[in-house]
Amino acid sequence: MIIPYKNHKIFAFSDTHGMHSQLRIPSEADILICAGDGVAGIEEQELSDFLNWYAAQPAQLRIFVAGNHELLFDLCPEDAQLLIPKGVTLLEDSGIKYDNIHFYSITARPWLHHKQEIPSSIDFLITHGPAKGVLDEGTGCSLLKDVIAKYKPRNHVFGHIHSCGSQMIICPNTVHYNVSYFESLL
């Protein structure tokens, strides 16, 4: 999904589940966001292959947030971080500022397990899972909903719920984007 923002064209996606070579990244996109589940299995080689493919995509910035299928980030986080190639920025409970755009991620794979604090004035909050009540088919995270209500990021990018992919909802303070591509790649 292309999101025009502050003179950039941001392409956000998730849930390619090993079918990333079929994904067509628009040539005008200069910032890429992967909100997780680039792989189908839990093999380290599959994750490495996906991340190397991602690093090779033309863009000024490539952000990666692990999903629930990137299980290595939960089981062996140090080993998983070693797989991140040059040119890919991993965000895990952290953020970066790029050309006056503040990106931040919290580890909702697909849910948070405790209350989270995040900075204020975030342009893009990136998680793998959705907030409760937002393109979630009733399975979203209530703790994430509370974080968004409290800190009011301008945009929330997530995936996980395949059937709601490529949809957005505009709420009073936050625009929510479900960027799952799984069903469109089948």
Side-chain angles (χ1 to χ4, degrees):
M1 175 177 292
I2 282 279
I3 305 167
Y5 194 78
K6 292 187 179 180
N7 298 315
H8 288 279
K9 298 275 195 272
I10 300 170
F11 180 71
F13 70 96
S14 71
D15 300 282
T16 55
H17 292 286
M19 296 181 288
H20 48 275
S21 63
Q22 298 174 42
L23 182 67
R24 298 294 162 238
I25 296 176
S27 59
E28 70 269 20
D30 59 338
I31 297 174
L32 304 179
I33 298 171
C34 176
D37 282 2
V39 298
I42 60 172
E43 297 297 319
E44 186 174 316
Q45 186 59 50
E46 183 184 8
L47 178 58
S48 180
D49 290 345
F50 169 77
L51 290 169
N52 288 323
W53 168 86
Y54 189 43
Q57 300 309 305
Q60 296 170 13
L61 176 66
R62 290 168 217 81
I63 295 172
F64 176 71
V65 171
N68 58 295
H69 279 265
E70 283 90 20
L71 196 55
L72 195 60
F73 284 91
D74 290 320
L75 300 176
C76 305
E78 298 83 16
D79 293 342
Q81 290 177 10
L82 292 174
L83 296 176
I84 302 295
K86 183 179 178 187
V88 173
T89 301
L90 172 68
L91 293 184
E92 292 239 301
D93 297 319
S94 62
I96 61 163
K97 199 167 203 175
Y98 176 81
D99 201 16
N100 206 31
I101 303 174
H102 190 187
F103 299 93
Y104 199 88
S105 175
I106 51 179
T107 309
R109 292 196 283 264
W111 305 281
L112 297 174
H113 299 288
H114 53 83
K115 289 185 176 188
Q116 294 273 336
E117 300 289 321
I118 63 172
S120 56
S121 302
I122 293 173
D123 292 293
F124 285 87
L125 176 64
I126 308 161
T127 61
H128 178 61
K132 183 120 185 109
V134 180
L135 300 170
D136 69 337
E137 291 193 341
T139 64
C141 177
S142 58
L143 291 174
L144 181 55
K145 178 182 177 179
D146 294 344
V147 167
I148 291 169
K150 181 176 179 179
Y151 294 99
K152 300 171 181 52
R154 288 194 171 100
N155 301 282
H156 177 217
V157 171
F158 62 93
H160 189 64
I161 305 299
H162 301 167
S163 61
C164 296
S166 299
Q167 295 183 46
M168 65 176 273
I169 291 181
I170 301 172
C171 294
N173 298 303
T174 303
V175 180
H176 299 268
Y177 299 90
N178 181 324
V179 297
S180 172
Y181 271 79
F182 183 75
E183 290 193 359
S184 67
L185 295 174
L186 291 177

